[in-house]
Amino acid sequence: MRQQVITGASASGAQLIEGSLRFDKDEEQYLTRTPSGAGSQTLYTWSVWVKRERLGDEGTADVNHNPVFCAGTSSSASTDFRFQNNGSSNADEFWWINWDGGSTYFSLESFPRYRDVAGWYHIVCNYNGTTAYVYINGTLVTSYNTETQNGGTSKINSTSAHSIGCFGQG
C-alpha cells in the first residue's frame, strides 16, 4: 500500500484555479482601472465567478461589507457589488447598489444568504436602464430584503475608476 503525504497546501482543501486572484481583505488588496472612454451606463450585463473566504461575523474588517466590484467613488456616486456583512439579520446577503451620491437609483439586497466558503458563486447582474436583475448560480434572485428600482444611470462603463476587491462607498 502506498502512503500519501498531505502537505499544508493540500490539507487546506482550497481549490486553486490557474490565473485566478486572491484578495486579502486585511491587507486592503484590490485592482483598479479607469476606462478612457465611456460605454452604455444603462444597458449592460456584468458577470463574475467568486469564492468567499469570510462570513459576516468573521474578521475585524473596518467596513461592514465584503466587496466584489465597484465603479465610481464615495464622493460622487458608485455602483457596488458586494456581500453584506454587518452581523445583523442581513449578514451574508448579496447587495447590488447604484447611487448618485445622494439618492439611490436602485438597491437589491438579497433575501437568500450566501454562506458557502468552500464553493464558487457565479453571479450575473443585468441592468436594462429601468430594472436590475441578479442571477446567482443560474437562479434569478426574486426575494429581497430591500428592493429599490428607480432606474437611473450606473457608474458601470463610465470613465470613473472600476475596481475589483473594494467598493466606492468606503
Side-chain angles (χ1 to χ4, degrees), residues 75-140:
S75 61
S76 59
S78 70
T79 301
D80 297 302
F81 303 93
R82 60 189 181 227
F83 288 97
Q84 176 77 7
N85 284 341
N86 60 10
S88 72
S89 60
N90 294 345
D92 303 313
E93 68 190 8
F94 181 75
W95 189 6
W96 177 13
I97 185 169
N98 184 53
W99 71 294
D100 70 358
S103 61
T104 301
Y105 290 137
F106 61 82
S107 176
L108 301 175
E109 296 178 53
S110 70
F111 181 76
R113 304 295 180 251
Y114 301 98
R115 297 182 174 131
D116 183 0
V117 294
W120 288 84
Y121 292 105
H122 182 218
I123 303 169
V124 177
C125 298
N126 177 265
Y127 183 53
N128 65 16
T130 305
T131 307
Y133 301 94
V134 176
Y135 297 83
I136 298 185
N137 294 337
T139 301
L140 176 64

Side-chain angles (χ1 to χ4, degrees), residues 30 32-35 41 69-81 97-99 154-163 166-170:
Y30 65 95
T32 190
R33 175 185 177 272
T34 302
Q41 294 168 264
F69 181 86
C70 78
T73 63
S74 62
S75 61
S76 59
S78 70
T79 301
D80 297 302
F81 303 93
I97 185 169
N98 184 53
W99 71 294
S154 168
K155 285 302 202 178
I156 302 293
N157 296 323
S158 73
T159 55
S160 297
H162 287 55
S163 301
C166 72
F167 69 103
Q169 295 181 31

Side-chain angles (χ1 to χ4, degrees), residues 26 54-55 57-61:
D26 294 331
R54 294 183 178 175
L55 297 179
D57 58 351
E58 298 177 3
T60 58

Side-chain angles (χ1 to χ4, degrees), residues 9-93:
S10 63
S12 72
Q15 184 179 10
L16 300 176
I17 306 295
E18 186 176 330
S20 67
L21 299 173
R22 180 173 184 251
F23 297 93
D24 185 336
K25 186 174 182 177
D26 294 331
E27 297 295 325
E28 298 182 8
Q29 297 170 327
Y30 65 95
L31 297 174
T32 190
R33 175 185 177 272
T34 302
S36 59
S40 176
Q41 294 168 264
T42 57
L43 298 171
Y44 61 86
T45 299
W46 177 87
S47 175
V48 68
W49 282 93
V50 64
K51 183 176 181 183
R52 298 198 61 193
E53 183 178 81
R54 294 183 178 175
L55 297 179
D57 58 351
E58 298 177 3
T60 58
D62 59 346
V63 294
N64 294 330
H65 314 292
N66 279 337
V68 177
F69 181 86
C70 78
T73 63
S74 62
S75 61
S76 59
S78 70
T79 301
D80 297 302
F81 303 93
R82 60 189 181 227
F83 288 97
Q84 176 77 7
N85 284 341
N86 60 10
S88 72
S89 60
N90 294 345
D92 303 313
E93 68 190 8

Side-chain angles (χ1 to χ4, degrees), residues 132-155:
Y133 301 94
V134 176
Y135 297 83
I136 298 185
N137 294 337
T139 301
L140 176 64
V141 178
T142 58
S143 178
Y144 295 97
N145 286 317
T146 301
E147 181 178 12
T148 304
Q149 298 271 6
N150 294 328
T153 302
S154 168
K155 285 302 202 178

